[in-house]
mmCIF file with all atom_site columns, all heavy atoms in Angstrom:
data_model
loop_
_atom_site.group_PDB
_atom_site.id
_atom_site.type_symbol
_atom_site.label_atom_id
_atom_site.label_alt_id
_atom_site.label_comp_id
_atom_site.label_asym_id
_atom_site.label_entity_id
_atom_site.label_seq_id
_atom_site.pdbx_PDB_ins_code
_atom_site.Cartn_x
_atom_site.Cartn_y
_atom_site.Cartn_z
_atom_site.occupancy
_atom_site.B_iso_or_equiv
_atom_site.pdbx_formal_charge
_atom_site.auth_seq_id
_atom_site.auth_comp_id
_atom_site.auth_asym_id
_atom_site.auth_atom_id
_atom_site.pdbx_PDB_model_num
ATOM 1   N N   . VAL A 1 1  ? -84.440  119.279 -83.747 1.00 0.00 ? 1  VAL A N   1
ATOM 2   C CA  . VAL A 1 1  ? -84.697  117.901 -83.284 1.00 0.00 ? 1  VAL A CA  1
ATOM 3   C C   . VAL A 1 1  ? -84.476  117.806 -81.766 1.00 0.00 ? 1  VAL A C   1
ATOM 4   O O   . VAL A 1 1  ? -85.298  117.232 -81.048 1.00 0.00 ? 1  VAL A O   1
ATOM 5   C CB  . VAL A 1 1  ? -83.804  116.890 -84.045 1.00 0.00 ? 1  VAL A CB  1
ATOM 6   C CG1 . VAL A 1 1  ? -83.912  115.503 -83.395 1.00 0.00 ? 1  VAL A CG1 1
ATOM 7   C CG2 . VAL A 1 1  ? -84.206  116.797 -85.515 1.00 0.00 ? 1  VAL A CG2 1
ATOM 8   N N   . LEU A 1 2  ? -83.386  118.414 -81.294 1.00 0.00 ? 2  LEU A N   1
ATOM 9   C CA  . LEU A 1 2  ? -83.120  118.402 -79.840 1.00 0.00 ? 2  LEU A CA  1
ATOM 10  C C   . LEU A 1 2  ? -84.209  119.167 -79.088 1.00 0.00 ? 2  LEU A C   1
ATOM 11  O O   . LEU A 1 2  ? -84.625  118.760 -78.002 1.00 0.00 ? 2  LEU A O   1
ATOM 12  C CB  . LEU A 1 2  ? -81.737  119.048 -79.559 1.00 0.00 ? 2  LEU A CB  1
ATOM 13  C CG  . LEU A 1 2  ? -80.524  118.187 -79.942 1.00 0.00 ? 2  LEU A CG  1
ATOM 14  C CD1 . LEU A 1 2  ? -79.228  119.012 -79.760 1.00 0.00 ? 2  LEU A CD1 1
ATOM 15  C CD2 . LEU A 1 2  ? -80.479  116.925 -79.124 1.00 0.00 ? 2  LEU A CD2 1
ATOM 16  N N   . GLY A 1 3  ? -84.712  120.220 -79.728 1.00 0.00 ? 3  GLY A N   1
ATOM 17  C CA  . GLY A 1 3  ? -85.806  120.996 -79.115 1.00 0.00 ? 3  GLY A CA  1
ATOM 18  C C   . GLY A 1 3  ? -87.066  120.143 -78.924 1.00 0.00 ? 3  GLY A C   1
ATOM 19  O O   . GLY A 1 3  ? -87.730  120.198 -77.858 1.00 0.00 ? 3  GLY A O   1
ATOM 20  N N   . ILE A 1 4  ? -87.355  119.325 -79.911 1.00 0.00 ? 4  ILE A N   1
ATOM 21  C CA  . ILE A 1 4  ? -88.506  118.402 -79.805 1.00 0.00 ? 4  ILE A CA  1
ATOM 22  C C   . ILE A 1 4  ? -88.274  117.374 -78.684 1.00 0.00 ? 4  ILE A C   1
ATOM 23  O O   . ILE A 1 4  ? -89.160  117.065 -77.913 1.00 0.00 ? 4  ILE A O   1
ATOM 24  C CB  . ILE A 1 4  ? -88.803  117.693 -81.169 1.00 0.00 ? 4  ILE A CB  1
ATOM 25  C CG1 . ILE A 1 4  ? -89.329  118.674 -82.196 1.00 0.00 ? 4  ILE A CG1 1
ATOM 26  C CG2 . ILE A 1 4  ? -89.777  116.525 -80.988 1.00 0.00 ? 4  ILE A CG2 1
ATOM 27  C CD1 . ILE A 1 4  ? -90.725  119.224 -81.923 1.00 0.00 ? 4  ILE A CD1 1
ATOM 28  N N   . LEU A 1 5  ? -87.058  116.810 -78.659 1.00 0.00 ? 5  LEU A N   1
ATOM 29  C CA  . LEU A 1 5  ? -86.772  115.764 -77.660 1.00 0.00 ? 5  LEU A CA  1
ATOM 30  C C   . LEU A 1 5  ? -86.905  116.300 -76.214 1.00 0.00 ? 5  LEU A C   1
ATOM 31  O O   . LEU A 1 5  ? -87.103  115.500 -75.287 1.00 0.00 ? 5  LEU A O   1
ATOM 32  C CB  . LEU A 1 5  ? -85.361  115.207 -77.861 1.00 0.00 ? 5  LEU A CB  1
ATOM 33  C CG  . LEU A 1 5  ? -85.186  114.302 -79.091 1.00 0.00 ? 5  LEU A CG  1
ATOM 34  C CD1 . LEU A 1 5  ? -83.740  113.940 -79.264 1.00 0.00 ? 5  LEU A CD1 1
ATOM 35  C CD2 . LEU A 1 5  ? -86.034  113.061 -78.976 1.00 0.00 ? 5  LEU A CD2 1
ATOM 36  N N   . GLU A 1 6  ? -86.812  117.590 -76.035 1.00 0.00 ? 6  GLU A N   1
ATOM 37  C CA  . GLU A 1 6  ? -86.963  118.177 -74.690 1.00 0.00 ? 6  GLU A CA  1
ATOM 38  C C   . GLU A 1 6  ? -88.424  118.345 -74.318 1.00 0.00 ? 6  GLU A C   1
ATOM 39  O O   . GLU A 1 6  ? -88.728  118.642 -73.158 1.00 0.00 ? 6  GLU A O   1
ATOM 40  C CB  . GLU A 1 6  ? -86.237  119.527 -74.623 1.00 0.00 ? 6  GLU A CB  1
ATOM 41  C CG  . GLU A 1 6  ? -84.704  119.390 -74.575 1.00 0.00 ? 6  GLU A CG  1
ATOM 42  C CD  . GLU A 1 6  ? -83.975  120.693 -74.783 1.00 0.00 ? 6  GLU A CD  1
ATOM 43  O OE1 . GLU A 1 6  ? -84.668  121.773 -74.811 1.00 0.00 ? 6  GLU A OE1 1
ATOM 44  O OE2 . GLU A 1 6  ? -82.772  120.702 -74.907 1.00 0.00 ? 6  GLU A OE2 1
ATOM 45  N N   . LYS A 1 7  ? -89.337  118.233 -75.304 1.00 0.00 ? 7  LYS A N   1
ATOM 46  C CA  . LYS A 1 7  ? -90.750  118.458 -75.019 1.00 0.00 ? 7  LYS A CA  1
ATOM 47  C C   . LYS A 1 7  ? -91.410  117.087 -74.765 1.00 0.00 ? 7  LYS A C   1
ATOM 48  O O   . LYS A 1 7  ? -91.866  116.410 -75.679 1.00 0.00 ? 7  LYS A O   1
ATOM 49  C CB  . LYS A 1 7  ? -91.419  119.166 -76.181 1.00 0.00 ? 7  LYS A CB  1
ATOM 50  C CG  . LYS A 1 7  ? -90.884  120.583 -76.363 1.00 0.00 ? 7  LYS A CG  1
ATOM 51  C CD  . LYS A 1 7  ? -91.489  121.258 -77.591 1.00 0.00 ? 7  LYS A CD  1
ATOM 52  C CE  . LYS A 1 7  ? -90.949  122.642 -77.755 1.00 0.00 ? 7  LYS A CE  1
ATOM 53  N NZ  . LYS A 1 7  ? -91.322  123.251 -79.045 1.00 0.00 ? 7  LYS A NZ  1
ATOM 54  N N   . GLN A 1 8  ? -91.464  116.730 -73.466 1.00 0.00 ? 8  GLN A N   1
ATOM 55  C CA  . GLN A 1 8  ? -91.946  115.409 -73.092 1.00 0.00 ? 8  GLN A CA  1
ATOM 56  C C   . GLN A 1 8  ? -93.323  115.113 -73.631 1.00 0.00 ? 8  GLN A C   1
ATOM 57  O O   . GLN A 1 8  ? -93.582  114.060 -74.191 1.00 0.00 ? 8  GLN A O   1
ATOM 58  C CB  . GLN A 1 8  ? -91.935  115.318 -71.559 1.00 0.00 ? 8  GLN A CB  1
ATOM 59  C CG  . GLN A 1 8  ? -92.525  113.993 -71.064 1.00 0.00 ? 8  GLN A CG  1
ATOM 60  C CD  . GLN A 1 8  ? -92.097  113.666 -69.640 1.00 0.00 ? 8  GLN A CD  1
ATOM 61  O OE1 . GLN A 1 8  ? -90.963  113.871 -69.272 1.00 0.00 ? 8  GLN A OE1 1
ATOM 62  N NE2 . GLN A 1 8  ? -93.049  113.205 -68.842 1.00 0.00 ? 8  GLN A NE2 1
ATOM 63  N N   . LEU A 1 9  ? -94.251  116.066 -73.463 1.00 0.00 ? 9  LEU A N   1
ATOM 64  C CA  . LEU A 1 9  ? -95.645  115.816 -73.827 1.00 0.00 ? 9  LEU A CA  1
ATOM 65  C C   . LEU A 1 9  ? -95.756  115.601 -75.363 1.00 0.00 ? 9  LEU A C   1
ATOM 66  O O   . LEU A 1 9  ? -96.498  114.732 -75.840 1.00 0.00 ? 9  LEU A O   1
ATOM 67  C CB  . LEU A 1 9  ? -96.517  117.000 -73.422 1.00 0.00 ? 9  LEU A CB  1
ATOM 68  C CG  . LEU A 1 9  ? -98.016  116.813 -73.484 1.00 0.00 ? 9  LEU A CG  1
ATOM 69  C CD1 . LEU A 1 9  ? -98.443  115.600 -72.622 1.00 0.00 ? 9  LEU A CD1 1
ATOM 70  C CD2 . LEU A 1 9  ? -98.759  118.047 -73.057 1.00 0.00 ? 9  LEU A CD2 1
ATOM 71  N N   . VAL A 1 10 ? -94.988  116.374 -76.145 1.00 0.00 ? 10 VAL A N   1
ATOM 72  C CA  . VAL A 1 10 ? -95.015  116.250 -77.605 1.00 0.00 ? 10 VAL A CA  1
ATOM 73  C C   . VAL A 1 10 ? -94.531  114.855 -78.032 1.00 0.00 ? 10 VAL A C   1
ATOM 74  O O   . VAL A 1 10 ? -95.160  114.181 -78.854 1.00 0.00 ? 10 VAL A O   1
ATOM 75  C CB  . VAL A 1 10 ? -94.128  117.321 -78.282 1.00 0.00 ? 10 VAL A CB  1
ATOM 76  C CG1 . VAL A 1 10 ? -94.005  117.071 -79.786 1.00 0.00 ? 10 VAL A CG1 1
ATOM 77  C CG2 . VAL A 1 10 ? -94.707  118.707 -78.013 1.00 0.00 ? 10 VAL A CG2 1
ATOM 78  N N   . VAL A 1 11 ? -93.436  114.413 -77.426 1.00 0.00 ? 11 VAL A N   1
ATOM 79  C CA  . VAL A 1 11 ? -92.844  113.110 -77.801 1.00 0.00 ? 11 VAL A CA  1
ATOM 80  C C   . VAL A 1 11 ? -93.743  111.966 -77.389 1.00 0.00 ? 11 VAL A C   1
ATOM 81  O O   . VAL A 1 11 ? -94.017  111.025 -78.157 1.00 0.00 ? 11 VAL A O   1
ATOM 82  C CB  . VAL A 1 11 ? -91.436  112.938 -77.193 1.00 0.00 ? 11 VAL A CB  1
ATOM 83  C CG1 . VAL A 1 11 ? -90.880  111.573 -77.543 1.00 0.00 ? 11 VAL A CG1 1
ATOM 84  C CG2 . VAL A 1 11 ? -90.491  114.026 -77.725 1.00 0.00 ? 11 VAL A CG2 1
ATOM 85  N N   . VAL A 1 12 ? -94.278  112.000 -76.168 1.00 0.00 ? 12 VAL A N   1
ATOM 86  C CA  . VAL A 1 12 ? -95.185  110.949 -75.680 1.00 0.00 ? 12 VAL A CA  1
ATOM 87  C C   . VAL A 1 12 ? -96.437  110.881 -76.571 1.00 0.00 ? 12 VAL A C   1
ATOM 88  O O   . VAL A 1 12 ? -96.863  109.783 -76.973 1.00 0.00 ? 12 VAL A O   1
ATOM 89  C CB  . VAL A 1 12 ? -95.544  111.171 -74.211 1.00 0.00 ? 12 VAL A CB  1
ATOM 90  C CG1 . VAL A 1 12 ? -96.678  110.210 -73.771 1.00 0.00 ? 12 VAL A CG1 1
ATOM 91  C CG2 . VAL A 1 12 ? -94.342  110.977 -73.311 1.00 0.00 ? 12 VAL A CG2 1
ATOM 92  N N   . SER A 1 13 ? -96.988  112.018 -76.898 1.00 0.00 ? 13 SER A N   1
ATOM 93  C CA  . SER A 1 13 ? -98.173  112.051 -77.798 1.00 0.00 ? 13 SER A CA  1
ATOM 94  C C   . SER A 1 13 ? -97.858  111.536 -79.160 1.00 0.00 ? 13 SER A C   1
ATOM 95  O O   . SER A 1 13 ? -98.680  110.842 -79.778 1.00 0.00 ? 13 SER A O   1
ATOM 96  C CB  . SER A 1 13 ? -98.736  113.524 -77.907 1.00 0.00 ? 13 SER A CB  1
ATOM 97  O OG  . SER A 1 13 ? -99.040  114.008 -76.629 1.00 0.00 ? 13 SER A OG  1
ATOM 98  N N   . LEU A 1 14 ? -96.685  111.890 -79.684 1.00 0.00 ? 14 LEU A N   1
ATOM 99  C CA  . LEU A 1 14 ? -96.256  111.452 -81.021 1.00 0.00 ? 14 LEU A CA  1
ATOM 100 C C   . LEU A 1 14 ? -96.113  109.926 -81.056 1.00 0.00 ? 14 LEU A C   1
ATOM 101 O O   . LEU A 1 14 ? -96.615  109.272 -81.978 1.00 0.00 ? 14 LEU A O   1
ATOM 102 C CB  . LEU A 1 14 ? -94.928  112.110 -81.374 1.00 0.00 ? 14 LEU A CB  1
ATOM 103 C CG  . LEU A 1 14 ? -94.209  111.600 -82.636 1.00 0.00 ? 14 LEU A CG  1
ATOM 104 C CD1 . LEU A 1 14 ? -95.088  111.817 -83.872 1.00 0.00 ? 14 LEU A CD1 1
ATOM 105 C CD2 . LEU A 1 14 ? -92.878  112.313 -82.839 1.00 0.00 ? 14 LEU A CD2 1
ATOM 106 N N   . VAL A 1 15 ? -95.470  109.364 -80.030 1.00 0.00 ? 15 VAL A N   1
ATOM 107 C CA  . VAL A 1 15 ? -95.280  107.875 -79.992 1.00 0.00 ? 15 VAL A CA  1
ATOM 108 C C   . VAL A 1 15 ? -96.652  107.214 -79.949 1.00 0.00 ? 15 VAL A C   1
ATOM 109 O O   . VAL A 1 15 ? -96.905  106.232 -80.654 1.00 0.00 ? 15 VAL A O   1
ATOM 110 C CB  . VAL A 1 15 ? -94.417  107.512 -78.756 1.00 0.00 ? 15 VAL A CB  1
ATOM 111 C CG1 . VAL A 1 15 ? -94.444  105.982 -78.563 1.00 0.00 ? 15 VAL A CG1 1
ATOM 112 C CG2 . VAL A 1 15 ? -92.989  107.997 -78.954 1.00 0.00 ? 15 VAL A CG2 1
ATOM 113 N N   . ARG A 1 16 ? -97.531  107.716 -79.099 1.00 0.00 ? 16 ARG A N   1
ATOM 114 C CA  . ARG A 1 16 ? -98.870  107.145 -78.976 1.00 0.00 ? 16 ARG A CA  1
ATOM 115 C C   . ARG A 1 16 ? -99.611  107.218 -80.309 1.00 0.00 ? 16 ARG A C   1
ATOM 116 O O   . ARG A 1 16 ? -100.299 106.283 -80.742 1.00 0.00 ? 16 ARG A O   1
ATOM 117 C CB  . ARG A 1 16 ? -99.664  107.795 -77.864 1.00 0.00 ? 16 ARG A CB  1
ATOM 118 C CG  . ARG A 1 16 ? -100.994 107.091 -77.567 1.00 0.00 ? 16 ARG A CG  1
ATOM 119 C CD  . ARG A 1 16 ? -101.843 107.864 -76.549 1.00 0.00 ? 16 ARG A CD  1
ATOM 120 N NE  . ARG A 1 16 ? -101.223 107.884 -75.268 1.00 0.00 ? 16 ARG A NE  1
ATOM 121 C CZ  . ARG A 1 16 ? -101.005 108.989 -74.594 1.00 0.00 ? 16 ARG A CZ  1
ATOM 122 N NH1 . ARG A 1 16 ? -101.368 110.175 -75.048 1.00 0.00 ? 16 ARG A NH1 1
ATOM 123 N NH2 . ARG A 1 16 ? -100.435 108.988 -73.391 1.00 0.00 ? 16 ARG A NH2 1
ATOM 124 N N   . ASP A 1 17 ? -99.500  108.369 -80.966 1.00 0.00 ? 17 ASP A N   1
ATOM 125 C CA  . ASP A 1 17 ? -100.213 108.609 -82.227 1.00 0.00 ? 17 ASP A CA  1
ATOM 126 C C   . ASP A 1 17 ? -99.745  107.639 -83.306 1.00 0.00 ? 17 ASP A C   1
ATOM 127 O O   . ASP A 1 17 ? -100.531 107.047 -84.064 1.00 0.00 ? 17 ASP A O   1
ATOM 128 C CB  . ASP A 1 17 ? -100.007 110.052 -82.660 1.00 0.00 ? 17 ASP A CB  1
ATOM 129 C CG  . ASP A 1 17 ? -100.596 110.305 -84.085 1.00 0.00 ? 17 ASP A CG  1
ATOM 130 O OD1 . ASP A 1 17 ? -101.804 110.092 -84.235 1.00 0.00 ? 17 ASP A OD1 1
ATOM 131 O OD2 . ASP A 1 17 ? -99.841  110.683 -84.979 1.00 0.00 ? 17 ASP A OD2 1
ATOM 132 N N   . ILE A 1 18 ? -98.431  107.412 -83.381 1.00 0.00 ? 18 ILE A N   1
ATOM 133 C CA  . ILE A 1 18 ? -97.863  106.502 -84.389 1.00 0.00 ? 18 ILE A CA  1
ATOM 134 C C   . ILE A 1 18 ? -98.393  105.077 -84.147 1.00 0.00 ? 18 ILE A C   1
ATOM 135 O O   . ILE A 1 18 ? -98.820  104.376 -85.063 1.00 0.00 ? 18 ILE A O   1
ATOM 136 C CB  . ILE A 1 18 ? -96.325  106.541 -84.366 1.00 0.00 ? 18 ILE A CB  1
ATOM 137 C CG1 . ILE A 1 18 ? -95.841  107.886 -84.862 1.00 0.00 ? 18 ILE A CG1 1
ATOM 138 C CG2 . ILE A 1 18 ? -95.743  105.417 -85.209 1.00 0.00 ? 18 ILE A CG2 1
ATOM 139 C CD1 . ILE A 1 18 ? -94.361  108.155 -84.660 1.00 0.00 ? 18 ILE A CD1 1
ATOM 140 N N   . LEU A 1 19 ? -98.371  104.639 -82.873 1.00 0.00 ? 19 LEU A N   1
ATOM 141 C CA  . LEU A 1 19 ? -98.867  103.310 -82.551 1.00 0.00 ? 19 LEU A CA  1
ATOM 142 C C   . LEU A 1 19 ? -100.379 103.181 -82.800 1.00 0.00 ? 19 LEU A C   1
ATOM 143 O O   . LEU A 1 19 ? -100.858 102.169 -83.310 1.00 0.00 ? 19 LEU A O   1
ATOM 144 C CB  . LEU A 1 19 ? -98.548  102.966 -81.108 1.00 0.00 ? 19 LEU A CB  1
ATOM 145 C CG  . LEU A 1 19 ? -97.086  102.712 -80.764 1.00 0.00 ? 19 LEU A CG  1
ATOM 146 C CD1 . LEU A 1 19 ? -96.847  102.656 -79.264 1.00 0.00 ? 19 LEU A CD1 1
ATOM 147 C CD2 . LEU A 1 19 ? -96.600  101.399 -81.405 1.00 0.00 ? 19 LEU A CD2 1
ATOM 148 N N   . ASP A 1 20 ? -101.117 104.268 -82.514 1.00 0.00 ? 20 ASP A N   1
ATOM 149 C CA  . ASP A 1 20 ? -102.584 104.256 -82.737 1.00 0.00 ? 20 ASP A CA  1
ATOM 150 C C   . ASP A 1 20 ? -102.895 104.162 -84.232 1.00 0.00 ? 20 ASP A C   1
ATOM 151 O O   . ASP A 1 20 ? -103.926 103.622 -84.610 1.00 0.00 ? 20 ASP A O   1
ATOM 152 C CB  . ASP A 1 20 ? -103.235 105.556 -82.189 1.00 0.00 ? 20 ASP A CB  1
ATOM 153 C CG  . ASP A 1 20 ? -103.326 105.510 -80.654 1.00 0.00 ? 20 ASP A CG  1
ATOM 154 O OD1 . ASP A 1 20 ? -103.097 104.430 -80.076 1.00 0.00 ? 20 ASP A OD1 1
ATOM 155 O OD2 . ASP A 1 20 ? -103.642 106.556 -80.065 1.00 0.00 ? 20 ASP A OD2 1
ATOM 156 N N   . ARG A 1 21 ? -101.967 104.676 -85.087 1.00 0.00 ? 21 ARG A N   1
ATOM 157 C CA  . ARG A 1 21 ? -102.169 104.564 -86.536 1.00 0.00 ? 21 ARG A CA  1
ATOM 158 C C   . ARG A 1 21 ? -101.743 103.208 -87.089 1.00 0.00 ? 21 ARG A C   1
ATOM 159 O O   . ARG A 1 21 ? -101.829 102.952 -88.265 1.00 0.00 ? 21 ARG A O   1
ATOM 160 C CB  . ARG A 1 21 ? -101.385 105.673 -87.250 1.00 0.00 ? 21 ARG A CB  1
ATOM 161 C CG  . ARG A 1 21 ? -102.026 107.079 -87.144 1.00 0.00 ? 21 ARG A CG  1
ATOM 162 C CD  . ARG A 1 21 ? -101.318 108.024 -88.069 1.00 0.00 ? 21 ARG A CD  1
ATOM 163 N NE  . ARG A 1 21 ? -100.153 108.629 -87.389 1.00 0.00 ? 21 ARG A NE  1
ATOM 164 C CZ  . ARG A 1 21 ? -99.109  109.130 -88.082 1.00 0.00 ? 21 ARG A CZ  1
ATOM 165 N NH1 . ARG A 1 21 ? -99.032  109.070 -89.409 1.00 0.00 ? 21 ARG A NH1 1
ATOM 166 N NH2 . ARG A 1 21 ? -98.111  109.709 -87.419 1.00 0.00 ? 21 ARG A NH2 1
ATOM 167 N N   . GLY A 1 22 ? -101.276 102.327 -86.196 1.00 0.00 ? 22 GLY A N   1
ATOM 168 C CA  . GLY A 1 22 ? -100.906 100.989 -86.606 1.00 0.00 ? 22 GLY A CA  1
ATOM 169 C C   . GLY A 1 22 ? -99.554  100.944 -87.277 1.00 0.00 ? 22 GLY A C   1
ATOM 170 O O   . GLY A 1 22 ? -99.237  99.985  -87.997 1.00 0.00 ? 22 GLY A O   1
ATOM 171 N N   . LEU A 1 23 ? -98.759  101.983 -87.066 1.00 0.00 ? 23 LEU A N   1
ATOM 172 C CA  . LEU A 1 23 ? -97.422  102.017 -87.694 1.00 0.00 ? 23 LEU A CA  1
ATOM 173 C C   . LEU A 1 23 ? -96.337  101.516 -86.732 1.00 0.00 ? 23 LEU A C   1
ATOM 174 O O   . LEU A 1 23 ? -96.488  101.645 -85.502 1.00 0.00 ? 23 LEU A O   1
ATOM 175 C CB  . LEU A 1 23 ? -97.075  103.423 -88.121 1.00 0.00 ? 23 LEU A CB  1
ATOM 176 C CG  . LEU A 1 23 ? -97.860  104.062 -89.241 1.00 0.00 ? 23 LEU A CG  1
ATOM 177 C CD1 . LEU A 1 23 ? -97.476  105.526 -89.451 1.00 0.00 ? 23 LEU A CD1 1
ATOM 178 C CD2 . LEU A 1 23 ? -97.613  103.313 -90.555 1.00 0.00 ? 23 LEU A CD2 1
ATOM 179 N N   . THR A 1 24 ? -95.273  100.998 -87.261 1.00 0.00 ? 24 THR A N   1
ATOM 180 C CA  . THR A 1 24 ? -94.062  100.697 -86.485 1.00 0.00 ? 24 THR A CA  1
ATOM 181 C C   . THR A 1 24 ? -92.995  101.763 -86.829 1.00 0.00 ? 24 THR A C   1
ATOM 182 O O   . THR A 1 24 ? -92.179  102.074 -85.991 1.00 0.00 ? 24 THR A O   1
ATOM 183 C CB  . THR A 1 24 ? -93.505  99.327  -86.887 1.00 0.00 ? 24 THR A CB  1
ATOM 184 O OG1 . THR A 1 24 ? -94.589  98.353  -86.823 1.00 0.00 ? 24 THR A OG1 1
ATOM 185 C CG2 . THR A 1 24 ? -92.397  98.868  -85.948 1.00 0.00 ? 24 THR A CG2 1
ATOM 186 N N   . VAL A 1 25 ? -93.061  102.264 -88.068 1.00 0.00 ? 25 VAL A N   1
ATOM 187 C CA  . VAL A 1 25 ? -92.084  103.259 -88.539 1.00 0.00 ? 25 VAL A CA  1
ATOM 188 C C   . VAL A 1 25 ? -92.838  104.444 -89.097 1.00 0.00 ? 25 VAL A C   1
ATOM 189 O O   . VAL A 1 25 ? -93.724  104.288 -89.930 1.00 0.00 ? 25 VAL A O   1
ATOM 190 C CB  . VAL A 1 25 ? -91.195  102.643 -89.659 1.00 0.00 ? 25 VAL A CB  1
ATOM 191 C CG1 . VAL A 1 25 ? -90.148  103.630 -90.084 1.00 0.00 ? 25 VAL A CG1 1
ATOM 192 C CG2 . VAL A 1 25 ? -90.588  101.336 -89.216 1.00 0.00 ? 25 VAL A CG2 1
ATOM 193 N N   . ALA A 1 26 ? -92.468  105.635 -88.640 1.00 0.00 ? 26 ALA A N   1
ATOM 194 C CA  . ALA A 1 26 ? -92.985  106.883 -89.263 1.00 0.00 ? 26 ALA A CA  1
ATOM 195 C C   . ALA A 1 26 ? -91.786  107.567 -89.912 1.00 0.00 ? 26 ALA A C   1
ATOM 196 O O   . ALA A 1 26 ? -90.731  107.795 -89.271 1.00 0.00 ? 26 ALA A O   1
ATOM 197 C CB  . ALA A 1 26 ? -93.604  107.770 -88.197 1.00 0.00 ? 26 ALA A CB  1
ATOM 198 N N   . ILE A 1 27 ? -91.914  107.910 -91.171 1.00 0.00 ? 27 ILE A N   1
ATOM 199 C CA  . ILE A 1 27 ? -90.819  108.430 -91.957 1.00 0.00 ? 27 ILE A CA  1
ATOM 200 C C   . ILE A 1 27 ? -91.089  109.906 -92.363 1.00 0.00 ? 27 ILE A C   1
ATOM 201 O O   . ILE A 1 27 ? -92.104  110.174 -92.987 1.00 0.00 ? 27 ILE A O   1
ATOM 202 C CB  . ILE A 1 27 ? -90.609  107.594 -93.259 1.00 0.00 ? 27 ILE A CB  1
ATOM 203 C CG1 . ILE A 1 27 ? -90.301  106.132 -92.893 1.00 0.00 ? 27 ILE A CG1 1
ATOM 204 C CG2 . ILE A 1 27 ? -89.485  108.166 -94.122 1.00 0.00 ? 27 ILE A CG2 1
ATOM 205 C CD1 . ILE A 1 27 ? -90.406  105.165 -94.074 1.00 0.00 ? 27 ILE A CD1 1
ATOM 206 N N   . GLY A 1 28 ? -90.172  110.788 -91.965 1.00 0.00 ? 28 GLY A N   1
ATOM 207 C CA  . GLY A 1 28 ? -90.285  112.202 -92.345 1.00 0.00 ? 28 GLY A CA  1
ATOM 208 C C   . GLY A 1 28 ? -91.620  112.827 -92.013 1.00 0.00 ? 28 GLY A C   1
ATOM 209 O O   . GLY A 1 28 ? -92.019  112.887 -90.830 1.00 0.00 ? 28 GLY A O   1
#
């Protein structure tokens, strides 16, 4: 988890992807 948090591009893309899917919460 800490390894992912250090990858800026991965996290920014993930946040954008979740919002693009119309979600507020992504689980597991």
Side-chain angles (χ1 to χ4, degrees):
V1 171
L2 287 173
I4 290 291
L5 287 174
E6 287 169 6
K7 295 177 180 169
Q8 174 161 320
L9 192 59
V10 172
V11 177
V12 171
S13 301
L14 171 60
V15 170
R16 187 186 296 127
D17 174 58
I18 292 169
L19 289 169
D20 286 349
R21 283 189 274 155
L23 292 174
T24 309
V25 183
I27 300 167

